[in-house]
Amino acid sequence: MDDIISIIIPVYNVEGYLPQCVKSIREQTYTGEIEILLIDDGSTDYSGRLCDEFSKIDERIKVYHKKNGGLSDARNFGIKKSTGSILCFVDSDDFLHKDYLQELYSIKKKYNADISECACFKYFESKPDLYNENCDRIKILKPKDWLVETGLGEFLSVVAWNKLYDRCLFEEVEYPNGRNFEDESTTYKVVYKSKCIARTYRKLYYYRQREGSITQNSLSAKVLNQKLLALNEKCDFFIEKKEGSVVSYCQAKYCILVISNFDSCADLYGDDKKKNEFYRDVKKRYVTWMKKARSVPLKYKIFIKWFLLKNKKYDKD
């Protein structure tokens, strides 16, 4: 029996972008069987009715209307309603290169990978030219290598939407409801369960840059705290798994996020008291996990050590 690819698309108030997203999926060069699940997450604009219209012109499209629960809830809902042995997530304001499914499916099968992923093109409406360059570079990674390599964000891999996954990887794994940075809280768990990841460096996913999105805005205290929470949970996960080299990278990423927002503590939290807490936190993580960690590049150790020396006055109770 051939694989069925279930493409899960959470939809919320994206009437201006959804037609391009759905069109790019319907026009894929991949000829295998797919199901397209449009999860209308309580949209208040015309998005829900657009979903119904699309289902009338393509029998592969299944529409579900539900009460608004957020991106994580919509993805979890879509997983439960899907029937495919392979899962794929697409954000409804993004769109795909015509070879997206064919390329990812091909390398997944060729290398017997549990996950396949591609690079992405950041699409700005002010500069609507589409990336067209071919790239035949393929890289095969074991989970631990993937986790170490992506620990500091060298490759855009933590996201959910540039991948094909074996369905079984999501058994007992869900996206956290009510949280920002849900991918940061989930992808590493799925990768850790896998045996092999195949990566193409072709930019096959068009990642739309919208004004007003979380990733485009400066961090608020709430958003920063949620991102730090996700990274801390990731650290704890790999401490429990006794994956020291992965933990060191996770700790370094946590520290660099803190350092990047250290000077703006007064703006974020209303005063500078948070600096004492953040400084001691970075110092503890550096001494415990990174000072002697061979896996963390020297430039990151130097950067964190420089921060500790420069801001030593905050090392107080």
Side-chain angles (χ1 to χ4, degrees):
M1 182 178 177
D2 293 336
D3 293 314
I4 299 174
I5 300 178
S6 296
I7 305 165
I8 298 167
I9 310 170
V11 175
Y12 181 73
N13 290 356
V14 284
E15 61 182 15
Y17 306 114
L18 188 59
Q20 185 177 24
C21 176
V22 173
K23 182 175 184 289
S24 73
I25 297 171
R26 294 183 62 221
E27 295 179 352
Q28 289 290 297
T29 57
Y30 177 72
T31 57
E33 187 173 356
I34 67 172
E35 63 173 3
I36 305 167
L37 292 88
L38 298 178
I39 314 300
D40 172 28
D41 191 38
S43 295
T44 57
D45 65 357
Y46 196 71
S47 298
R49 283 172 286 181
L50 277 175
C51 291
D52 293 331
E53 291 177 10
F54 292 141
S55 68
K56 295 175 183 177
I57 61 175
D58 193 326
E59 62 182 11
R60 299 174 299 176
I61 295 176
K62 302 176 181 178
V63 177
Y64 298 92
H65 301 282
K66 60 181 286 296
K67 183 179 178 180
N68 179 255
L71 178 59
S72 291
D73 189 59
R75 283 182 182 163
N76 294 334
F77 183 92
I79 292 171
K80 292 174 183 176
K81 293 296 184 180
S82 64
T83 62
S85 59
I86 297 175
L87 300 180
C88 170
F89 301 99
V90 178
D91 284 358
S92 52
D93 52 352
D94 298 334
F95 56 103
L96 308 178
H97 186 283
K98 62 184 177 63
D99 295 331
Y100 176 85
L101 289 179
Q102 181 59 46
E103 178 79 4
L104 291 189
Y105 184 79
S106 294
I107 64 171
K108 186 178 184 302
K109 287 299 179 182
K110 180 177 181 179
Y111 298 103
N112 194 28
D114 307 286
I115 299 171
S116 57
E117 66 179 1
C118 68
C120 81
F121 176 75
K122 290 186 177 181
Y123 177 78
F124 294 86
E125 292 184 340
S126 59
K127 299 178 181 178
D129 294 336
L130 299 184
Y131 183 88
N132 225 352
E133 181 181 343
N134 286 324
C135 177
D136 58 4
R137 183 185 175 195
I138 304 292
K139 189 170 186 177
I140 309 303
L141 301 103
K142 295 297 183 183
K144 188 173 180 179
D145 296 330
W146 185 97
L147 290 160
V148 168
E149 180 177 318
T150 62
L152 288 168
E154 279 81 0
F155 187 87
L156 187 60
S157 289
V158 71
V159 294
W161 39 250
N162 65 340
K163 301 173 179 64
L164 297 186
Y165 309 84
D166 279 347
R167 181 188 192 87
C168 61
L169 298 176
F170 279 88
E171 292 177 2
E172 300 181 359
V173 175
E174 289 190 338
Y175 288 96
N177 288 331
R179 295 256 299 269
N180 298 126
F181 306 104
E182 62 287 327
D183 297 347
E184 186 77 66
S185 301
T186 309
T187 302
Y188 67 87
K189 297 176 184 177
V190 177
V191 169
Y192 193 69
K193 291 177 68 176
S194 71
K195 296 178 181 178
C196 175
I197 301 96
R199 175 189 296 166
T200 172
Y201 284 81
R202 287 187 68 190
K203 295 184 177 181
L204 299 171
Y205 189 100
Y206 294 105
Y207 175 36
R208 189 185 301 273
Q209 305 299 287
R210 292 172 59 187
E211 290 187 12
S213 69
I214 292 172
T215 53
Q216 293 297 303
N217 286 339
S218 58
L219 293 180
S220 65
K222 178 181 178 182
V223 171
L224 176 59
N225 288 341
Q226 287 199 7
K227 189 161 190 176
L228 290 173
L229 173 62
L231 289 173
N232 200 47
E233 289 175 346
K234 189 175 183 179
C235 291
D236 290 344
F237 178 88
F238 288 111
I239 289 172
E240 182 180 345
K241 301 295 183 183
K242 300 185 181 345
E243 296 288 0
S245 60
V246 180
V247 174
S248 296
Y249 266 84
C250 295
Q251 299 284 11
K253 186 173 183 179
Y254 182 102
C255 290
I256 288 170
L257 180 61
V258 168
I259 293 169
S260 300
N261 292 275
F262 190 76
D263 289 336
S264 61
C265 278
D267 293 332
L268 292 173
Y269 295 97
D271 56 47
D272 270 344
K273 292 181 181 179
K274 194 71 174 177
K275 287 187 174 181
N276 294 335
E277 177 186 335
F278 273 167
Y279 181 92
R280 294 194 302 273
D281 195 8
V282 170
K283 180 180 177 181
K284 180 180 179 181
R285 291 170 192 268
Y286 174 78
V287 171
T288 305
W289 290 104
M290 289 174 294
K291 191 173 182 179
K292 297 181 180 179
R294 294 181 179 180
S295 60
V296 177
L298 182 60
K299 63 179 180 180
Y300 295 114
K301 293 183 189 177
I302 293 173
F303 177 68
I304 295 169
K305 181 65 174 178
W306 168 83
F307 164 81
L308 292 173
L309 291 172
K310 178 186 176 184
N311 295 282
K312 197 171 182 179
K313 64 181 179 180
Y314 293 105
D315 189 11
K316 56 186 178 180
D317 295 326

